[in-house]
């Protein structure tokens, strides 16, 4: 059985990216350990209409998965399994990643479970992928990204492509989620790759 992935969601706009990634990972049989910041829950409410007061119910309703396939960790549970390097995982994706979380990661902060889990990935040499969603970017944002990139973190900004000629918002979301899954080396069919087009 393959090791699980940790997925973090923060208060940046673009909650749909994180939700869609988890849905697709569960569909393909991956085990997901999920942690969402308080601001992340606010965005899930504001952008997708989730009832943040019924967190576990919302996850079960919108994400599903088989028994034990989705493990939810409250943001302040610093004693959770994913807070320890001895808990073996394939890596972690933070999607969407706010600039505040990005700043915390770049300075090695562990102020909550999400930051601690990401710090574990760095100290254990595991894969860490962040999907920042902000515009415009100022110098400190860029410096923080450069700091993380130099540490081996994969920076995958929420910048959808259009060469696959999307016909809906869902196809735009799936393109970005597919790029994340490419970085995770998980097979998918979320978008047509370059060279797979017919006629042009």
């Amino acid at each position: 059985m393959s090791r699980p992935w940790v997925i973090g969601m923060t208060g940046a706009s673009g909650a749909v990216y994180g939700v869609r990634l988890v849905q697709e990972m569960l569909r393909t049989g991956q085990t997901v350990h999920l942690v969402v910041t308080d601001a992340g829950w606010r965005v899930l409410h504001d952008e997708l209409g989730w009832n943040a007061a019924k967190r576990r119910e919302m996850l079960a309703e919108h994400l599903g998965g088989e028994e034990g396939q989705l493990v939810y960790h409250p943001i302040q549970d610093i004693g959770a399994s994913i807070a320890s390097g001895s808990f073996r995982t394939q890596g972690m994706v933070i999607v969407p990643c706010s600039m505040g979380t990005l700043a915390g990661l770049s300075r090695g902060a562990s102020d909550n479970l999400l930051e601690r889990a990401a710090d574990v990935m760095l100290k254990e040499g595991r894969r860490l992928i962040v999907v920042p969603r902000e515009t415009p970017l100022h110098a400190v944002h860029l410096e923080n990204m450069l700091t993380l990139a130099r540490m081996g973190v994969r920076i995958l900004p929420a910048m959808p492509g259009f060469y696959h000629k999307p016909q809906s918002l869902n196809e735009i979301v799936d393109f970005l989620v597919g790029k994340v899954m490419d970085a995770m080396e998980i097979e998918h069919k979320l978008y047509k790759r370059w060279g797979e087009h017919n006629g042009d």
Side-chain angles (χ1 to χ4, degrees), residues 76-188:
Q76 296 303 333
D77 185 8
I78 207 66
S81 57
I82 59 174
S84 173
S86 66
F87 182 74
R88 304 181 78 181
T89 65
Q90 295 194 62
M92 180 175 183
V93 181
I94 304 174
V95 53
C97 183
S98 68
M99 292 301 105
T101 295
L102 194 80
L105 301 183
S106 71
R107 60 184 170 82
S110 294
D111 293 337
N112 57 46
L113 179 59
L114 189 149
E115 290 180 353
R116 171 57 186 170
D119 195 52
V120 165
M121 301 303 148
L122 292 171
K123 78 184 186 70
E124 299 293 331
R126 297 175 189 160
R127 196 174 320 196
L128 177 58
I129 302 163
V130 298
V131 183
R133 217 306 309 163
E134 183 63 273
T135 192
L137 299 168
H138 61 63
V140 174
H141 297 156
L142 297 169
E143 288 172 358
N144 288 337
M145 289 185 204
L146 180 59
T147 296
L148 291 175
R150 285 174 170 160
M151 296 167 65
V153 176
R154 191 78 173 270
I155 310 293
L156 205 158
M159 297 177 178
F162 293 90
Y163 57 80
H164 62 301
K165 299 180 181 176
Q167 300 299 305
S168 68
L169 179 59
N170 285 341
E171 290 183 8
I172 292 172
V173 170
D174 280 355
F175 175 86
L176 192 281
V177 171
K179 296 295 284 187
V180 173
M181 294 184 75
D182 285 348
M184 300 167 79
E185 298 185 353
I186 298 175
E187 291 295 322
H188 67 86

Side-chain angles (χ1 to χ4, degrees), residues 37-55:
T37 65
D38 289 336
W41 279 107
R42 171 64 186 267
V43 175
L44 283 165
H45 172 266
D46 291 348
E47 294 186 351
L48 302 180
W50 287 28
N51 185 342
K54 298 181 177 180
R55 298 182 176 187

Side-chain angles (χ1 to χ4, degrees), residues 28-81:
T28 59
Q30 304 289 321
T31 299
V32 174
H33 284 251
L34 178 67
V35 57
V36 183
T37 65
D38 289 336
W41 279 107
R42 171 64 186 267
V43 175
L44 283 165
H45 172 266
D46 291 348
E47 294 186 351
L48 302 180
W50 287 28
N51 185 342
K54 298 181 177 180
R55 298 182 176 187
R56 293 187 186 275
E57 292 92 330
M58 290 292 99
L59 295 174
E61 178 182 343
H62 296 285
L63 300 180
E66 301 295 328
E67 183 73 25
Q69 196 181 3
L70 177 65
V71 182
Y72 172 65
H73 300 282
I75 189 65
Q76 296 303 333
D77 185 8
I78 207 66
S81 57

